[in-house]
Amino acid sequence: MEVVDPMSEENNTKHYFAKIIESTGEDLGRAGLVDTPQRASSAFEYLTGGYHQTLDDVVNDALFPSDSNDMVIVKDIELYSLCEHHMLPFIGRAHVGYIPRGKVLGLSKVARIVDMFARRLQIQEQLTTQVAKTIAEVTEAAGVGVIIEAKHLCMMMRGVEKQNSLMKTSAMLGCFRSNLSTRNEFLSLLRD
Ligand SMILES: [Zn+2]
């Protein structure tokens, strides 16, 4: 017999997934479901892995000196998150822009910062703000702009069942907030 420690976090999650499946009236013993609590628990752990990451791990010193003070844009960063109200996915893209002041961030690190916050229970507005504030903090940029557009499965599969609604959120910091032409440059570069 398998010896399990019911107090370990992993087995706890597995146990709760088993209860959730049972609550539908399903037979947990049937072939297709027998390992589902385990699989669902590891998937959930992965999808909420952002809680166990630190900014230092993610950035890993990938900050490079730069004389440029021209806008840097990373657009179309794929994003997968879970809404904190229904624990259903929301899926979309993030666009990040900043004006460096002496240092630039490694390109992949921008995407990893987005992932770190996306892999938590989230609302899109907060995710957008967290990414913007973190990029600002790490790079000490003169300004940061973040736009996220996403489709929420909690709206598509249940509730109002609106398949085509796309939610857009933005966070503008520093000169992206105070300077209209900077903000417009960002928005027009995103359209190209
Ligand atoms: Zn929701």
Side-chain angles (χ1 to χ4, degrees):
M1 233 186 89
E2 193 191 359
V3 181
V4 290
D5 171 9
M7 298 312 283
S8 85
E9 201 177 317
E10 191 203 337
N11 286 327
N12 240 328
T13 315
K14 185 175 149 185
H15 167 80
Y16 290 125
F17 273 114
K19 291 282 169 211
I20 290 170
I21 296 167
E22 267 173 353
S23 77
T24 65
E26 265 285 6
D27 171 13
L28 262 182
R30 72 175 172 86
L33 286 179
V34 78
D35 294 323
T36 299
Q38 176 59 54
R39 282 189 296 258
S41 138
S42 3
F44 188 70
E45 200 174 299
Y46 181 80
L47 298 177
T48 55
Y51 288 115
H52 308 296
Q53 287 181 305
T54 68
L55 192 54
D56 282 347
D57 297 340
V58 167
V59 173
N60 195 21
D61 294 327
L63 268 175
F64 307 102
S66 166
D67 296 333
S68 164
N69 54 4
D70 289 321
M71 191 176 296
V72 176
I73 290 191
V74 189
K75 69 181 228 180
D76 293 326
I77 302 167
E78 280 177 58
L79 174 151
Y80 302 92
S81 190
L82 289 175
C83 89
E84 68 184 21
H85 299 135
H86 307 93
M87 300 216 299
L88 287 171
F90 63 96
I91 298 167
R93 293 177 300 172
H95 314 291
V96 174
Y98 65 98
I99 294 189
R101 206 162 38 184
K103 44 190 173 182
V104 292
L105 186 59
L107 202 57
S108 68
K109 304 303 178 186
V110 176
R112 295 197 55 175
I113 288 173
V114 171
D115 282 343
M116 179 175 93
F117 290 110
R119 290 190 185 135
R120 297 179 185 194
L121 302 181
Q122 276 290 9
I123 59 171
Q124 189 179 323
E125 296 87 333
Q126 174 178 267
L127 172 62
T128 312
T129 309
Q130 284 173 335
V131 171
K133 284 187 171 164
T134 304
I135 303 278
E137 181 192 320
V138 172
T139 60
E140 297 171 329
V144 176
V146 175
I147 291 182
I148 292 180
E149 36 197 354
K151 289 189 161 199
H152 290 246
L153 290 205
C154 61
M155 275 191 74
M156 298 167 71
M157 294 176 71
R158 54 160 293 289
V160 290
E161 297 190 24
K162 293 293 176 233
Q163 312 302 320
N164 294 309
S165 61
L166 185 71
M167 183 173 179
K168 270 198 183 196
T169 45
S170 72
M172 303 287 159
L173 304 176
C175 59
F176 280 64
R177 174 170 285 275
S178 59
N179 187 328
L180 187 61
S181 66
T182 303
R183 188 156 71 234
N184 285 340
E185 183 187 346
F186 176 54
L187 297 174
S188 78
L189 285 167
L190 289 185
R191 277 193 292 271
D192 295 340

